Amino acid sequence: MELMYPFVLIVGILFLIILIFVNLKKKSTYENGKKVANTQFVKEMPYYQEVMKKYKKLTSTIKILCIISMVMSLLLLARPCTIDASENPQYSRDIILCMDVSDSVNELNEELVNNLKKVVGSLKGERFGISIFNTSSVLLVPLTDDYDYIIETLDNLQKNFAARNSFLKKGTISGNDNVYYATEYIQAGTLVGNEIRGSSIIGDGLATAITNFGDLSEERTRIIIFSTDNELYGKELITLEEAGKMCKDREITVFGIAPSTILGNNKIIMKNAVEETGGIYYTEGDNNVSDIVKNIEQKGKSLIKGKKETKMVDKPELPFAILLISTTGLFVLNKKVNL
C-alpha cells in the first residue's frame, strides 16, 4: 500500500509524540475542588483498590484508543492507495473501406455499410477509415479507433444510399429534399474535374486509398475493402492492375466485391487485381458481403503493446474500519468511566 500524501502522516505522528511527551512531563496539580485529609484508610480498602484498578485500565484503554483514532485519522488524510499499472492491448490492424459511389454500385454499397457496422462494433484497438471515389477521392473518415464516429458515418452512408436507391427505382430523383441531401452527401468532392476526366476512375480510387494508411514502414496488417463495378468512364492516371500491384508491393490485402451486373472483362481485371494482393474477389449475392466480414476477421492481426496506464486507487477501507471501531470503543468506555 502507498500513501498519496505521506508527509501528512509523518508530521502528524511527530506532533502526536510531542503531545504525549509533554503530557507525561506534566506535574499533578489540583485545578478544582479541595484536598481531603486522612484518605489513607479509604485507599487501603479492597473495594477502593478494585475500583481504582478498573478505572486505570479503562482510562489507559481510552488513551490507547484515542491514539489509534488519531493515527487512523492521519492515515486517512494521507490517502492510502495502491498503484495500479495496466497495459491496454491493441491490435495492429488497419482497415479502409474504399467505395465507388457511382449510381450503379448503390445497392451493393448499402448492403456493405450495413454489414460493416457489426465489424466496427467488435473492433478492439484496430483502426478503421472510409474513402469514397468517383472522378476524385474523398476521405470521409481518416484511420481512427473512434468507433462511435465510424458507425455514425456508416449510418449516414446507409441512409443516403437507401434514399438514392429508392428514388432511382422510381425513375426520378429531382424535387425531393431527402434525395438531394443524399446525393450531395455522397457526391460532394467526388466529381472534381468530372468535365475533363470523366467518372468512375477505378484505379485512381484504389491507389488513393493506399495513401490513407499513412506511414507504411510501421508493422501493421493492412486491409482494403474495395467495392466497384469496374466500369471505367474516364481517363485514369493509374490503372486498376497498377493499383493492385501497388497494394501487393506494400503488403496491403484487398477484399474486392462487385455488383452482380459487372461485365465479364471488367470482372476478370478486378478479380486478378484483387487476388494478386492475397485477397479474395466476390460478386454481390449469396451472402458474399457476410463472407467478406468473416474473412476479414480471420485475417491475421498482430497484438501490440498498448499504452501503459498508471492509476492510483484509494484504499481507505481498513483504516476507516479501525477508526470506526476505536471511536465506538471510546464512547462505550467513556460512559463506563463516568459511572
Side-chain angles (χ1 to χ4, degrees):
M1 185 175 68
E2 304 285 340
L3 294 177
M4 195 173 294
Y5 308 115
F7 67 91
V8 174
L9 185 61
I10 296 171
V11 173
I13 289 177
L14 287 175
F15 178 77
L16 187 59
I17 291 172
I18 293 171
L19 189 64
I20 293 172
F21 181 77
V22 170
N23 188 60
L24 290 174
K25 288 288 185 179
K26 186 178 179 181
K27 294 180 179 180
S28 298
T29 57
Y30 291 91
E31 296 180 359
N32 296 306
K34 297 180 180 179
K35 291 184 178 181
V36 178
N38 302 318
T39 59
Q40 188 63 32
F41 173 76
V42 176
K43 291 179 179 180
E44 290 177 355
M45 292 178 63
Y47 175 76
Y48 176 84
Q49 291 177 354
E50 183 181 346
V51 169
M52 285 305 297
K53 284 180 182 180
K54 182 179 179 182
Y55 174 80
K56 287 178 181 180
K57 286 180 181 179
L58 290 173
T59 52
S60 298
T61 304
I62 287 174
K63 289 177 183 178
I64 292 171
L65 289 176
C66 281
I67 294 172
I68 292 173
S69 297
M70 286 187 282
V71 171
M72 290 301 106
S73 298
L74 290 171
L75 190 59
L76 286 171
L77 287 173
R79 289 189 68 177
C81 60
T82 57
I83 298 176
D84 183 16
S86 62
E87 185 176 301
N88 295 324
Q90 294 183 341
Y91 293 104
S92 61
R93 185 170 64 173
D94 291 342
I95 304 170
I96 288 182
L97 171 61
C98 179
M99 294 188 295
D100 179 353
V101 291
S102 56
D103 289 342
S104 57
V105 197
N106 275 343
E107 290 189 15
L108 170 61
N109 286 338
E110 182 185 350
E111 182 185 2
L112 184 59
V113 296
N114 182 47
N115 278 273
L116 286 175
K117 283 188 287 186
K118 302 172 187 176
V119 175
V120 173
S122 66
L123 296 180
K124 296 179 180 179
E126 298 120 309
R127 300 184 300 187
F128 195 97
I130 303 173
S131 173
I132 59 176
F133 71 91
N134 197 334
T135 304
S136 51
S137 293
V138 172
L139 182 61
L140 280 184
V141 178
L143 282 173
T144 179
D145 58 3
D146 185 349
Y147 304 130
D148 290 337
Y149 173 57
I150 297 167
I151 292 174
E152 180 184 347
T153 304
L154 291 172
D155 280 334
N156 287 333
L157 285 168
Q158 183 186 6
K159 179 178 67 176
N160 292 309
F161 282 133
R164 291 178 72 185
N165 288 330
S166 174
F167 283 92
L168 283 171
K169 287 177 182 178
K170 293 179 180 180
T172 176
I173 60 171
S174 60
N176 187 289
D177 291 338
N178 291 332
V179 177
Y180 174 78
Y181 174 77
T183 301
E184 287 303 305
Y185 181 84
I186 293 171
Q187 291 185 354
T190 64
L191 293 174
V192 176
N194 175 260
E195 302 83 359
I196 300 172
R197 298 190 60 209
S199 60
S200 294
I201 316 271
I202 316 299
D204 291 2
L206 180 58
T208 304
I210 296 172
T211 65
N212 296 327
F213 283 110
D215 185 7
L216 294 173
S217 63
E218 187 179 356
E219 187 177 350
R220 300 181 72 86
T221 300
R222 296 179 175 86
I223 296 170
I224 294 177
I225 304 170
F226 185 49
S227 69
T228 182
D229 59 359
N230 197 25
E231 191 71 30
L232 178 65
Y233 289 103
K235 184 178 180 180
E236 56 193 356
L237 299 175
I238 300 173
T239 66
L240 182 56
E241 296 94 327
E242 291 170 338
K245 189 176 185 307
M246 290 171 63
C247 290
K248 178 184 178 182
D249 293 342
R250 291 160 178 77
E251 297 182 345
I252 299 171
T253 305
V254 179
F255 289 91
I257 184 166
S260 56
T261 55
I262 188 171
L263 300 178
N265 190 51
N266 293 338
K267 176 179 178 179
I268 293 171
I269 293 172
M270 182 178 174
K271 186 174 185 295
N272 291 338
V274 166
E275 291 179 349
E276 185 179 14
T277 69
I280 301 174
Y281 169 83
Y282 295 93
T283 303
E284 180 186 13
D286 298 327
N287 296 320
N288 282 340
V289 174
S290 299
D291 287 341
I292 289 181
V293 172
K294 291 177 183 178
N295 277 291
I296 289 173
E297 284 301 305
Q298 292 171 2
K299 182 69 178 175
K301 53 185 178 181
S302 303
L303 183 66
I304 58 175
K305 291 183 178 180
K307 292 181 180 179
K308 286 187 177 180
E309 294 183 0
T310 302
K311 296 180 181 179
M312 299 189 77
V313 182
D314 285 323
K315 291 290 183 181
E317 294 86 357
L318 181 59
F320 177 75
I322 296 174
L323 176 62
L324 189 63
I325 293 170
S326 61
T327 50
T328 303
L330 282 173
F331 281 108
V332 173
L333 292 178
N334 185 59
K335 186 176 180 181
K336 289 186 176 182
V337 170
N338 288 336
L339 289 173

